[in-house]
């Protein structure tokens, strides 16, 4: 099996540091081995630091980011509940689908792709749907590169007796995301974006208010695998840990190493690095006459208009073949119209920014 080394500058996965790959190659332990339990507990402690939360129920779901979405939705919502879901790209519309499959009546709040939701628009939706139990919103919409501000939203929701659900798959460890300060009730992320770990786990966190909601359910969670009432006995049980499913042991080693790297760099320093490299990339692209799609761009995902006359697939193929650089294609209405350049985790380096700019100049000629 020959696997080339790529420079991963797409929408995820990002390039994985060799320290993490080496950690994954450590001996597999039993998932109830006391030494493994220590490592897993340490992962949960580090996750709380990275999410900037005291939430006791903070753990990695054993599957990718979409599983975090399903876990949050299926645990908080019951059939017949109502929810407001904000849709300005692919991941908002997936949340609508996941909610509807869980029997939820969804009040969909749409914004044009690439735009974000103002607090006034959100306040109006909350007022119009007083029976909603929760509002779901994407912090970092990877399909459009739009960065949704969250300040002030939880206050409005909590006053109305609603929960705030946030998709932070592409923002965790790349953008500031102070879960407790922002009043977020349930948040999920993924390992392969700004944590620069291979894909396979979805860190989630539930506030005490969200935990109360799960404990007051009238119906069983329809997903056996993601039911936190059982999972919490394994992840945060004191002393005795009940078998639920066999933990992906070597992936947990990887996440432990990834979180250690994040905390060694420091959250603020890491976020500042993402901001600085986004500015460098942006200045380079704009000097080539290339425009950004969203008005409020993420640092971690740069969604740009494909320049007039450029062949979308041919440019991406040349970047991959001749430079070993992967960038992302446009999704949905942006297919063939936009490129998505990720600057996530270990991929966010000055050398990569300068290389992708030079490579694009070459490929566009
Ligand atoms: C990548 C992503 C997901 C889904 O994660 P998977 O790991 O592909 O399951 C969900 N939401 C957003 C915003 C993402 O970028």
């Amino acid at each position: 099996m020959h696997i080339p080394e790529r420079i991963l500058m797409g929408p995820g996965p990002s390039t994985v540091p060799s320290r993490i790959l080496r950690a994954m190659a450590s001996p597999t332990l039993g998932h109830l081995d006391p030494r493994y339990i220590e490592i897993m507990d340490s992962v949960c402690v580090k996750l709380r630091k990275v999410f900037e939360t005291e939430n006791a129920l903070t753990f990695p779901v054993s599957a990718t980011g979409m599983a975090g979405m399903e876990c949050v939705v299926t645990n908080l919502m019951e059939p017949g509940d109502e929810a407001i879901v904000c849709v300005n790209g692919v991941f908002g519309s997936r949340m609508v689908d996941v909610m509807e499959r869980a029997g939820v009546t969804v009040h969909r709040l749409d914004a044009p792709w690439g735009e974000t939701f103002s607090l006034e628009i959100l306040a109006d939706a909350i007022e119009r749907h007083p029976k909603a139990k929760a509002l779901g919103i994407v912090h970092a919409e990877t399909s459009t590169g739009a960065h949704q501000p969250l300040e002030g939203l939880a206050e409005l929701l909590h006053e109305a007796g609603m929960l705030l659900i946030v998709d932070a798959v592409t923002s965790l460890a790349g953008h500031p995301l102070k879960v407790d300060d922002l009043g977020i009730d349930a948040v999920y992320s993924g390992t392969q974006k700004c944590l620069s770990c291979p894909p396979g786990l979805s860190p989630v966190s539930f506030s005490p208010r969200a935990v109360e909601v799960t404990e007051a359910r009238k119906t069983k969670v329809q997903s056996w695998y993601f039911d936190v009432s059982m999972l919490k006995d394994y992840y945060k049980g004191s002393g005795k840990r009940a078998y639920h499913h066999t933990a992906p042991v070597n992936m947990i080693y990887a996440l432990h190493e990834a979180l250690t790297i994040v905390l060694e760099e420091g959250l603020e320093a890491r976020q500042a690095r993402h901001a600085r490299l986004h500015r460098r990339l942006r200045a380079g692209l704009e000097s080539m006459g290339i425009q950004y799609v969203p008005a409020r761009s993420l640092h971690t995902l740069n969604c740009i208009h494909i320049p007039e006359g450029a062949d979308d697939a041919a440019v991406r193929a040349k970047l991959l073949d001749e430079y070993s650089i992967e960038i992302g294609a446009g999704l949905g209405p942006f297919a063939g119209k936009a490129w998505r350049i990720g600057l996530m985790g270990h991929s966010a380096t000055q050398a990569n920014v300068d290389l992708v700019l030079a490579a694009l100049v070459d490929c566009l000629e």
Side-chain angles (χ1 to χ4, degrees):
M1 187 168 58
H2 169 69
I3 298 171
E5 278 202 37
R6 302 290 196 207
I7 298 167
L8 297 175
M9 303 184 80
S14 55
T15 304
V16 178
S18 56
R19 256 179 82 177
I20 295 178
L21 297 173
R22 283 198 300 275
M24 287 184 87
S26 304
T28 301
L29 292 172
H31 63 284
L32 295 172
D33 185 310
R35 177 61 189 133
Y36 175 70
I37 299 284
E38 275 174 18
I39 294 166
M40 191 183 75
D41 285 350
S42 169
V43 162
C44 296
V45 168
K46 288 175 195 285
L47 272 181
R48 284 184 200 102
K49 290 190 180 143
V50 173
F51 273 127
E52 301 193 62
T53 184
E54 303 283 323
N55 289 342
L57 190 58
T58 302
F59 67 96
V61 173
S62 301
T64 66
M66 283 307 300
M69 188 192 288
E70 297 235 37
C71 177
V72 163
V73 168
T74 56
N75 278 282
L76 294 182
M77 309 303 291
E78 293 188 67
D81 282 346
E82 295 181 26
I84 302 164
V85 178
C86 304
V87 181
N88 56 348
V90 165
F91 294 100
S93 46
R94 283 191 178 183
M95 202 192 292
V96 171
D97 193 5
V98 170
M99 287 266 189
E100 286 178 345
R101 285 165 193 249
V104 175
T105 302
V106 176
H107 304 292
R108 193 184 153 120
L109 185 63
D110 278 281
W113 278 46
E115 292 183 16
T116 49
F117 298 89
S118 69
L119 202 53
E120 292 69 44
I121 295 242
L122 294 165
D124 177 62
I126 294 165
E127 211 171 300
R128 279 187 291 114
H129 304 294
K131 288 201 294 202
K133 187 179 188 181
L135 177 142
I137 195 161
V138 180
H139 186 214
E141 184 42 91
T142 320
S143 61
T144 68
H147 183 193
Q148 174 65 48
L150 299 172
E151 286 73 19
L153 178 54
E155 286 77 0
L156 296 177
L157 288 164
H158 293 164
E159 228 165 81
M162 300 179 200
L163 300 170
L164 173 56
I165 297 175
V166 172
D167 178 323
V169 177
T170 295
S171 54
L172 183 68
H175 277 276
L177 176 73
K178 293 180 188 296
V179 167
D180 285 359
D181 287 358
L182 288 167
I184 297 171
D185 294 295
V187 58
Y188 55 89
S189 189
T191 45
Q192 76 275 25
K193 310 232 177 165
C194 301
L195 295 171
S196 268
C197 192
L201 293 172
S202 176
V204 297
S205 187
F206 292 81
S207 72
R209 185 188 276 109
V211 171
E212 273 176 36
V213 166
T214 67
E215 286 168 351
R217 290 181 68 97
K218 292 187 213 74
T219 58
K220 272 191 178 182
V221 174
Q222 109 257 20
S223 163
W224 186 91
Y225 201 82
F226 296 140
D227 185 342
V228 296
S229 71
M230 294 187 287
L231 288 169
K232 66 186 171 199
D233 292 337
Y234 181 59
Y235 287 103
K236 62 176 237 200
S238 46
K240 188 176 143 294
R241 304 303 172 107
Y243 163 67
H244 177 264
H245 65 278
T246 308
V249 171
N250 294 58
M251 267 310 297
I252 295 288
Y253 302 161
L255 180 55
H256 190 277
E257 194 67 12
L259 295 169
T260 302
I261 292 171
V262 169
L263 296 169
E264 278 171 7
E265 180 175 11
L267 269 183
E268 280 182 20
R270 192 175 178 93
Q271 290 152 5
R273 168 165 63 84
H274 283 82
R276 179 164 43 81
L277 292 166
H278 160 74
R279 286 194 299 271
R280 189 178 182 91
L281 178 67
R282 182 169 193 135
L285 292 168
E286 288 179 345
S287 75
M288 293 163 64
I290 294 177
Q291 301 299 318
Y292 271 65
V293 170
R296 288 175 153 275
S297 178
L298 290 164
H299 300 151
T300 53
L301 195 284
N302 298 261
C303 186
I304 54 174
H305 292 287
I306 297 179
E308 203 71 44
D311 182 334
D312 172 23
V315 168
R316 283 185 294 108
K318 188 171 157 87
L319 283 172
L320 195 65
D321 293 343
E322 295 179 17
Y323 293 89
S324 219
I325 296 175
E326 176 181 279
I327 66 166
L331 284 182
F334 293 155
K337 299 203 173 78
W339 285 325
R340 293 178 301 148
I341 304 179
L343 284 177
M344 302 184 194
H346 198 59
S347 291
T349 66
Q350 186 163 315
N352 282 351
V353 167
D354 293 357
L355 180 63
V356 80
L357 287 168
L360 271 175
V361 168
D362 178 34
C363 296
L364 289 170
E365 259 167 17

